[in-house]
Amino acid sequence: MEITVTPPILFFRVIRKVKPVLVKNTKGMMKNLNFPTYIKVADLGCATGQNTFLTMSEIVNTITVLCQQCNQKPPEIDCCLNDLPNNDFNTTNKFIAFFNKIVKSKGLCFVSGVSGSFYSRLFPSKSLHFVHSSYSLHWLSKVPKGLEKDTSCVYIAASSPPSTYKAYLTQFQRDFTTFLKMRSEEMVWNGRMVLTFIGRETIDDPLHRDCCHFWTLLSTSLRDLVSEGLVSASKVGSFNMPFYDPIKEEAIEMIRKEGSFEINDLEIHGFDLGQSNNYDEDYKLHSQKSKAGEKEAKCIRAVSESLLVAHFGVDVMDTLFNKFAYHVSQHTSCTNKTTVSLVVSLIRK
């Protein structure tokens, strides 16, 4: 059930923040493997479109430049793009020509699509040298069991019973451990992974989510639809997001328990969906607040609409996200945000 769409406005912020870790680990992988003549790189949860190739081109160009600097022959590079079977690989394939223009390793890159869930085996044993995944691993393989008592929100909230947090954490632990185990079987020794996903700052209350958290505001927007008679309360009460935003300690614990990887880097970066806490005074004008709401609504709609349509139908989507944009606009001055981006790089032991 994992979703892997990354909206463009968010994608470029992610690339900028992750680039130093990506470059460092690409170079480290090449040097530790003594400049192999063949490299297999996988981008897991690649989504679709031109942006799909930006991270892959960064990896390829880093390899090419390093080989030139070290007087080494550039390797052939197998560039594998992975996503779920319903991903539009045909559209992505149309941008291979764009990819070939922006990479410096001419004629040495071979692009292929790999369909399937990254919570399963995707590649032959010991075949991968480098794995990248951006804003995908916070999506769970399925909605956790045991959420029947929590009908007020689509995700963890302050009003949720402790059992809701435990159900989500258990599902994340199961999925993330599976992901690590599958990749450990597919990767060569000293291969590298760079993973970026949504997390939250470490705080005492595991049920705490900001008043401006996107799923909190989506829950509020759905309740608006209930009050207007557009959807039933039972329909809203039976919908939950297959999502989990771990604190760094939860991610570290699972990596160490699974045991196949060594943590090389762990960074925490701020997270926003087109908003910023650093507004000029003029930005508090109503029209500009509305624009911030519209930006975040577009981002959340891009990643969640397929799930919402399957449960509520397509007819209410425009109304739902208009209300979501309004609620976001009422929280543009929120400064107490605990949602972050976690960036983890791992070495296959």
Side-chain angles (χ1 to χ4, degrees):
M1 189 178 283
E2 68 268 19
I3 310 295
T4 52
V5 176
T6 305
I9 190 172
L10 184 56
F11 186 86
F12 290 111
R13 287 193 179 101
V14 174
I15 289 289
R16 185 172 64 250
K17 292 177 180 178
V18 176
K19 182 177 177 179
V21 176
L22 193 68
V23 170
K24 170 188 170 182
N25 281 275
T26 302
K27 290 180 177 180
M29 176 268 298
M30 289 296 294
K31 291 177 180 178
N32 286 350
L33 296 178
N34 197 26
F35 292 90
T37 58
Y38 166 78
I39 292 291
K40 189 168 187 174
V41 181
D43 191 358
L44 306 183
C46 67
T48 190
Q50 181 172 299
N51 292 341
T52 296
F53 290 101
L54 295 181
T55 301
M56 189 65 77
S57 66
E58 192 69 54
I59 295 169
V60 170
N61 287 339
T62 297
I63 291 172
T64 303
V65 170
L66 179 66
C67 288
Q68 291 172 348
Q69 293 173 344
C70 297
N71 197 27
Q72 298 286 332
K73 182 179 178 181
E76 293 184 325
I77 305 175
D78 193 358
C79 304
C80 303
L81 304 176
N82 156 258
D83 214 313
L84 295 172
N86 59 357
N87 187 56
D88 188 359
F89 285 102
N90 288 332
T91 296
T92 299
N93 289 340
K94 295 176 182 178
F95 291 100
I96 292 178
F98 161 78
F99 173 68
N100 289 330
K101 287 180 181 179
I102 62 175
V103 295
K104 301 174 182 178
S105 186
K106 304 301 181 184
L108 295 176
C109 294
F110 305 89
V111 178
S112 61
V114 179
S115 175
S117 169
F118 50 56
Y119 292 126
S120 64
R121 279 290 299 270
L122 295 167
F123 302 97
S125 297
K126 295 180 174 55
S127 64
L128 290 177
H129 300 82
F130 198 95
V131 171
H132 171 263
S133 182
S134 181
Y135 277 17
S136 297
L137 281 167
H138 43 250
W139 291 106
L140 304 174
S141 63
K142 61 182 180 180
V143 173
K145 295 180 180 179
L147 302 179
E148 295 80 12
K149 295 180 180 179
D150 192 0
T151 60
S152 61
C153 290
V154 303
Y155 184 54
I156 299 169
S159 60
S160 300
S163 60
T164 295
Y165 161 69
K166 291 179 182 178
Y168 272 103
L169 176 61
T170 298
Q171 188 63 48
F172 168 75
Q173 291 171 334
R174 184 180 296 118
D175 284 344
F176 194 39
T177 299
T178 298
F179 175 87
L180 294 171
K181 184 176 187 300
M182 298 300 100
R183 303 295 82 78
S184 72
E185 295 173 4
E186 296 167 346
M187 296 189 71
V188 302
W189 302 110
N190 281 324
R192 304 279 180 119
M193 282 205 295
V194 176
L195 312 174
T196 304
F197 45 97
I198 296 174
R200 67 190 194 282
E201 291 182 357
T202 303
I203 54 178
D204 292 335
D205 183 5
L207 292 176
H208 175 81
R209 295 300 183 279
D210 310 328
C211 62
C212 55
H213 191 281
F214 39 90
W215 297 144
T216 301
L217 297 182
L218 183 65
S219 298
T220 302
S221 303
L222 284 168
R223 290 195 294 271
D224 288 346
L225 298 190
V226 173
S227 67
E228 295 178 11
L230 297 177
V231 298
S232 67
S234 61
K235 199 77 170 174
V236 173
S238 62
F239 180 79
N240 298 97
M241 280 293 173
F243 174 97
Y244 187 70
D245 47 355
I247 58 175
K248 66 178 183 179
E249 288 83 0
E250 291 168 346
I252 290 171
E253 180 184 9
M254 289 303 98
I255 293 167
R256 289 178 175 166
K257 277 190 174 181
E258 195 280 330
S260 299
F261 294 91
E262 173 188 339
I263 298 173
N264 194 40
D265 302 279
L266 197 158
E267 296 184 355
I268 298 176
H269 298 279
F271 175 87
D272 71 68
L273 291 166
Q275 296 190 65
S276 173
N277 293 329
N278 301 316
Y279 294 115
D280 294 330
E281 196 64 29
D282 290 344
Y283 200 84
K284 295 180 181 178
L285 294 172
H286 172 74
S287 61
Q288 291 171 310
K289 285 185 176 182
S290 297
K291 288 180 180 178
E294 291 168 5
K295 286 181 180 179
E296 182 161 338
K298 287 180 180 178
C299 287
I300 294 303
R301 186 167 186 168
V303 301
S304 66
E305 186 170 23
S306 61
L307 293 172
L308 291 164
V309 167
H311 191 82
F312 297 102
V314 69
D315 293 343
V316 298
M317 287 300 107
D318 288 344
T319 303
L320 173 62
F321 283 102
N322 285 338
K323 292 184 179 299
F324 181 87
Y326 168 76
H327 288 300
V328 172
S329 72
Q330 301 306 298
H331 289 81
T332 54
S333 60
C334 179
T335 58
N336 187 28
K337 296 183 178 181
T338 58
T339 300
V340 298
S341 295
L342 297 179
V343 182
V344 184
S345 71
L346 305 174
I347 302 175
R348 178 68 173 96
K349 295 194 289 188

